[in-house]
């Protein structure tokens, strides 16, 4: 069909990370756990976190305003703005409506879109909504902005080192550098209580760790099967060799290495020439995928066999995940950012990137991106400026980190409230919560 807008996808990306972080080695010592439990066992190096000065509204205000400024766009050029998040601070008023504050000077109030909410998947659903709008009769020719943002924090215990925070804002339009491949999407949805937040008085989730891993890996299997079915059907022989990179939602980095190995296992089981293409693995040719989620022997074997593939296609995508942590809905897009800055722009053009997005509860999709040279150098240059911020952050001790989380928890839903943390620690250009009045209305200012 020739009536579709050409090369619809991501034209620009901007990401926001907290200005504060805690080192995972310090956390291991503070928590009195075995050396390497967080750094090797989970694959995490550092974890970013926010004080009571920042919430999901402020993260999105910062991400969207900086995306617009860095790419010399007018707010009048935006016809859709959608937020993907699971961090809910108001049961009625959407984050998107708060972001309309940025549009006031332009006089542009005709902006479609609203919040899309689901653990770790809201950003992907928001992206799909923006793409659908652009390919529909409702599209008015303007651009869309999708912003995914979350603050991931946990109660004291094994899950706390898997926290993080951040936001990724994406400019969506035709003639994009990162073209979303049409018709190539696999989705798997189901009902599970693997991770959820039933207590509205707390930022902390309820987590069933083992079930969460099982749900994640099963969703990966199902999405891969669905995606491959769109690639030409039986006999197409599509496998990991089709992709130059594969990025995953990253609760913690070690799970991503296991996930790449999981796709390798799928390829092995799908192969019509197992002995030729996968020598030495014959004893596994009849395994039943659902029975292998916690099979240590199979996991170890296929992680070892896929190590070279992982090092080339997926490890470069874990830069932000390892140094900032889990950003929930923004996580998989921080992986995309990390991969894009790992290669010079001239080597990126023509690359195909597989994307797996997972959200507990559960929702998951797999799709692919084709990199083209539509303003690619500019996109990469802006991303590298953001990466430089990793070295400008302030390192706090585990004791200070714990104190920050206690302040956040105690201040939750307080009104009136004025944040007590130090604004000087914020990066320039950051929006922050200035105060909450007696009616729970939130007010924001921007640090110059």
């Amino acid at each position: 069909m020739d009536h579709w807008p050409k090369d619809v996808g991501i034209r620009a990306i901007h990401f926001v990370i907290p200005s504060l972080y805690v080192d995972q080695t310090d956390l291991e010592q503070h928590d009195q756990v075995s050396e390497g439990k967080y750094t090797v066992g989970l694959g995490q190096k550092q974890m970013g976190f926010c004080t009571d000065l920042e919430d999901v509204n402020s993260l999105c205000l910062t991400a969207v305003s900086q995306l617009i400024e860095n790419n010399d766009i007018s707010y009048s050029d935006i016809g859709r703005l959608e937020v993907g998040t699971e961090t809910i601070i108001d049961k009625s008023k959407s984050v998107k409506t708060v972001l309309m504050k940025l549009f006031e000077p332009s006089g542009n109030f005709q902006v479609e879109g609203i919040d899309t909410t689901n653990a770790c998947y809201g950003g992907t659903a928001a992206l799909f909504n923006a793409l659908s709008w652009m390919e529909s009769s409702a599209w008015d020719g303007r651009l869309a902005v999708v912003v995914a943002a979350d603050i991931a924090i946990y109660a004291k215990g094994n899950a706390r080192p898997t926290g993080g925070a951040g936001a990724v804002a994406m400019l969506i339009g035709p003639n994009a550098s990162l073209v979303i491949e049409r018709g190539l999407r696999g989705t798997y949805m189901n009902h599970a209580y693997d991770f959820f937040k039933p207590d509205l008085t707390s930022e902390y989730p309820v987590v069933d760790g083992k079930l969460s891993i099982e749900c994640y890996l099963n969703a990966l299997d199902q999405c891969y099967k669905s995606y491959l079915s769109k690639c030409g059907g039986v006999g197409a022989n599509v496998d990991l060799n089709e992709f130059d990179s594969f990025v995953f939602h990253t609760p913690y980095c070690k799970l991503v290495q296991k996930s790449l190995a999981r796709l390798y296992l799928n390829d092995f089981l799908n192969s019509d020439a197992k002995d030729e293409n996968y020598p030495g693995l014959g004893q596994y040719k009849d395994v039943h995928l659902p029975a292998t989620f916690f099979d240590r022997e199979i996991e170890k074997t296929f992680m070892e066999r896929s190590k070279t593939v992982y090092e080339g296609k997926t490890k470069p995508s874990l830069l932000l995940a390892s140094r900032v942590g889990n950003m929930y809905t923004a996580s998989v897009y921080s992986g995309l950012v990390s991969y894009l800055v790992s290669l010079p722009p001239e080597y990126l053009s023509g690359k195909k990137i597989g994307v797996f997005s997972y959200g507990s509860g559960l929702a998951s999709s797999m799709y692919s991106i084709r990199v083209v040279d539509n303003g690619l150098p500019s996109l990469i240059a802006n991303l590298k400026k953001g990466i430089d911020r990793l070295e400008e952050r302030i390192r706090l001790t585990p004791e200070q980190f714990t104190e920050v989380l206690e302040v956040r928890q105690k201040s939750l839903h307080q009104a009136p409230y004025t944040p007590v943390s130090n604004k000087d620690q914020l990066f320039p250009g950051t929006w922050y919560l200035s105060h909450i009045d007696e009616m729970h209305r939130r007010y924001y200012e921007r640090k110059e």
Side-chain angles (χ1 to χ4, degrees):
M1 300 179 73
D2 59 5
H3 65 275
W4 304 112
K6 181 177 171 56
D7 289 344
V8 173
I10 303 169
R11 292 173 54 143
I13 310 178
H14 182 76
F15 68 95
V16 171
I17 58 175
S19 58
L20 305 177
Y21 76 96
V22 62
D23 191 87
Q24 294 279 11
T25 303
D26 294 344
L27 268 186
E28 287 174 346
Q29 296 171 356
H30 177 264
D31 293 348
Q32 297 181 321
V33 298
S34 58
E35 183 179 344
K37 182 171 183 177
Y38 305 156
T39 51
V40 178
L42 296 176
Q44 300 302 117
K45 297 176 182 176
Q46 300 160 349
M47 178 168 49
F49 61 94
C50 299
T51 68
D52 61 342
L53 284 164
E54 293 184 273
D55 59 19
V56 67
N57 289 343
S58 69
L59 283 175
C60 288
L61 284 165
T62 302
V64 172
S65 60
Q66 293 181 352
L67 173 77
I68 299 297
E69 292 160 1
N70 290 350
N71 292 279
D72 197 25
I73 309 161
S74 166
Y75 282 97
S76 299
D77 296 334
I78 308 302
R80 186 178 186 94
L81 170 62
E82 190 146 0
V83 178
T85 188
E86 66 171 85
T87 306
I88 299 173
I89 55 176
D90 190 286
K91 292 185 288 184
S92 176
K93 183 173 172 60
S94 67
V95 178
K96 188 280 180 73
T97 59
V98 176
L99 298 180
M100 290 308 299
K101 169 188 178 75
L102 299 172
F103 288 75
E104 288 178 9
S106 71
N108 176 23
F109 299 101
Q110 187 178 331
V111 184
E112 292 193 8
I114 210 74
D115 291 4
T116 304
T117 305
N118 190 87
C120 302
Y121 184 82
T124 293
L127 172 62
F128 290 170
N129 288 345
L131 295 171
S132 295
W133 171 73
M134 203 153 283
E135 294 186 342
S136 77
S137 61
W139 186 45
D140 62 5
R142 290 185 294 169
L143 302 171
V145 169
V146 171
V147 56
D150 278 302
I151 296 173
I153 51 179
Y154 295 83
K156 288 182 180 178
N158 291 336
R160 179 160 278 189
T162 63
V168 176
M170 297 174 279
L171 184 69
I172 311 301
N175 303 312
S177 303
L178 307 174
V179 179
I180 311 299
E181 294 199 299
R182 288 183 45 78
L184 294 180
R185 185 190 300 177
T187 289
Y188 177 74
M189 303 275 177
N190 210 334
H191 170 53
Y193 279 114
D194 56 327
F195 168 111
F196 50 109
K197 295 178 179 176
D199 183 358
L200 299 181
T201 66
S202 173
E203 290 189 292
Y204 303 148
V206 176
V207 185
D208 184 333
K210 185 175 182 181
L211 178 61
S212 187
I213 293 171
E214 180 180 329
C215 288
Y216 182 104
L217 295 177
N218 181 54
L220 177 62
D221 290 342
Q222 300 301 326
C223 283
Y224 195 43
K225 179 181 178 181
S226 178
Y227 179 93
L228 294 180
S229 73
K230 312 287 178 65
C231 296
V234 179
N237 293 321
V238 176
D239 56 22
L240 279 171
N241 291 319
E242 288 287 309
F243 303 93
D244 297 287
S245 176
F246 220 108
V247 302
F248 299 81
H249 166 58
T250 310
Y252 54 92
C253 292
K254 200 70 171 185
L255 182 59
V256 168
Q257 186 173 1
K258 294 178 181 179
S259 298
L260 192 282
R262 188 87 191 166
L263 295 186
Y264 193 90
L265 170 61
N266 273 267
D267 284 350
F268 164 70
L269 294 176
N270 292 337
S271 176
D272 294 328
K274 291 182 175 62
D275 293 337
E276 179 184 343
N277 296 331
Y278 302 91
L281 296 175
Q283 68 268 39
Y284 303 114
K285 64 183 176 63
D286 296 320
V287 300
H288 182 50
L289 268 176
T292 63
F293 295 133
F294 300 104
D295 189 315
R296 293 293 180 87
E297 179 190 334
I298 288 178
E299 179 183 280
K300 183 179 179 182
T301 298
F302 281 85
M303 282 178 72
E304 185 59 38
R305 285 295 294 266
S306 63
K307 188 175 180 181
T308 301
V309 181
Y310 164 75
E311 295 276 350
K313 296 183 189 294
T314 296
K315 189 176 180 180
S317 71
L318 297 178
L319 172 64
L320 287 172
S322 66
R323 297 192 60 183
V324 180
N326 190 357
M327 302 179 190
Y328 286 164
T329 56
S331 168
V332 71
Y333 300 101
S334 81
L336 176 61
V337 166
S338 298
Y339 172 70
L340 291 172
V341 298
S342 72
L343 291 172
E346 58 267 26
Y347 291 107
L348 282 168
S349 188
K351 294 283 192 270
K352 178 170 178 168
I353 304 169
V355 181
F356 174 65
S357 179
Y358 175 83
S360 291
L362 60 84
S364 59
S365 290
M366 183 178 290
Y367 63 98
S368 50
I369 294 172
R370 180 167 45 88
V371 184
V372 297
D373 193 10
N374 283 332
L376 188 62
S378 175
L379 183 149
I380 302 301
N382 280 332
L383 290 181
K384 288 187 173 177
K385 291 176 188 174
I387 292 293
D388 291 342
R389 284 244 156 123
L390 286 170
E391 308 306 328
E392 299 169 8
R393 297 177 299 165
I394 301 168
R395 177 175 176 173
L396 296 189
T397 66
E399 290 79 11
Q400 291 170 313
F401 163 65
T402 302
E403 183 181 341
V404 165
L405 294 197
E406 288 173 353
V407 168
R408 286 189 67 91
Q409 185 67 6
K410 289 175 182 176
S411 67
L412 206 62
H413 303 304
Q414 279 192 28
Y417 180 74
T418 300
V420 298
S421 298
N422 184 2
K423 293 190 285 287
D424 292 340
Q425 293 179 324
L426 298 171
F427 287 131
T430 298
W431 285 88
Y432 63 90
L433 178 67
S434 61
H435 68 283
I436 302 172
D437 70 14
E438 67 282 353
M439 291 182 64
H440 292 267
R441 293 176 296 198
R442 292 170 179 252
Y443 297 87
Y444 299 90
E445 295 179 15
R446 194 177 192 187
K447 182 181 177 184
E448 297 300 323

